[in-house]
Amino acid sequence: MGRPVVGIIGNHYLLNDQYPTHAGGTMNSEAVAQVSDCLPLIVPSDPRFMSVEELLETCDGFLLTGGRPNVHPEEYGEPETEAHGTFDRARDAIVLPLVRACVERGQPFLGICRGFQEVNVAMGGTLYPEIRELPGRMNHRMPPDGSLDEKFELRHDVTFTPGGIFNELMGAPSVRTNTLHGQGIKTAGSRIVVDGHAEDGTPEAIYVDGAPGFTLSVQWHPEWNAAGDPVSRPLFSAFGDAARAWRARGAAPSLKAV
């Protein structure tokens, strides 16, 4: 049996401001291939090219990546404002029903940044358009200047629920993470368990309560230096184990309610 196939949700970009592409960051593929030990497959997330059903049959698990466009606020019943930024309605149309289908089937996914927010919205939650404008919150956005090392620098702690899934997986009550996001959870969706918070109270780690498969999602970017980072490695390793279990059609690895 070959390696499990992980569908890496691609983002729409214009090369040279005119050539449309679907692409995924190399670090996502590296994390899936080297740490999860799965076969990375970039998904052109547009319902014109594929259906959710086809994706579910083709892939064993999904990496819900970060991306500059945000989930459109209409998806959680709020009007669009300038603060919401740019959007990718085609990705919304694929990923939100994909998340719900995976939760129902027990098919594993790992949500990262925008993917974390997609999981919350798919389960009926809402988002703040700009975390840094809230009283008492820090600026979670990517630094505008500097090298990639500086932009992905570890910048704040995330504290987990004692005895919770992330506490068990990480083997620590808190970890140090990077932060490169503008939006964040406003209200948690149905069955969404917030299992970790940043120092300012921003939700940073979630899972879907009672889901039969792996649903861990994080607001930070663990794909950066995934092979060498003590926080990223267990997350991607556990995701790979879940994808292998799905491929074998066996029970998901036991991590409480993961």
Side-chain angles (χ1 to χ4, degrees), residues 14 40 55 67 126 143 194 207 214:
L14 283 178
L55 287 174
T126 64
V194 179
Y207 64 90
F214 186 103

Side-chain angles (χ1 to χ4, degrees), residues 75-220:
E75 300 290 352
Y76 47 93
E78 295 187 7
E80 175 185 336
T81 69
E82 186 176 344
H84 285 96
T86 59
F87 308 109
D88 184 346
R89 300 309 300 268
R91 174 166 168 164
D92 293 345
I94 282 288
V95 177
L96 298 180
L98 177 65
V99 167
R100 291 187 284 266
C102 285
V103 169
E104 179 68 22
R105 289 161 58 97
Q107 198 157 348
F109 60 76
L110 171 59
I112 292 174
C113 200
R114 175 190 160 117
F116 168 97
Q117 295 163 11
E118 286 170 327
V119 173
N120 185 57
V121 172
M123 301 304 292
T126 64
L127 304 173
Y128 286 115
E130 190 65 77
I131 290 291
R132 62 183 172 180
E133 294 180 356
L134 300 175
R137 300 292 184 95
M138 63 181 284
N139 183 2
H140 288 255
R141 284 191 173 275
M142 175 192 291
D145 302 311
S147 65
L148 280 181
D149 284 333
E150 291 167 329
K151 291 179 178 180
F152 282 87
E153 182 181 4
L154 305 184
R155 292 171 54 202
H156 68 59
D157 290 337
V158 174
T159 300
F160 303 126
T161 303
I165 290 175
F166 279 89
N167 185 180
E168 179 180 315
L169 179 62
M170 299 297 176
S174 65
V175 296
R176 192 83 174 162
T177 73
N178 55 38
T179 182
L180 298 93
H181 64 101
Q183 300 197 324
I185 289 179
K186 181 179 181 181
T187 58
S190 173
R191 298 171 60 192
I192 292 292
V193 177
V194 179
D195 204 36
H197 295 81
E199 300 155 11
D200 63 357
T202 299
E204 293 275 342
I206 62 174
Y207 64 90
V208 181
D209 187 34
F214 186 103
T215 62
L216 301 192
S217 301
V218 298
Q219 185 62 88
W220 69 89

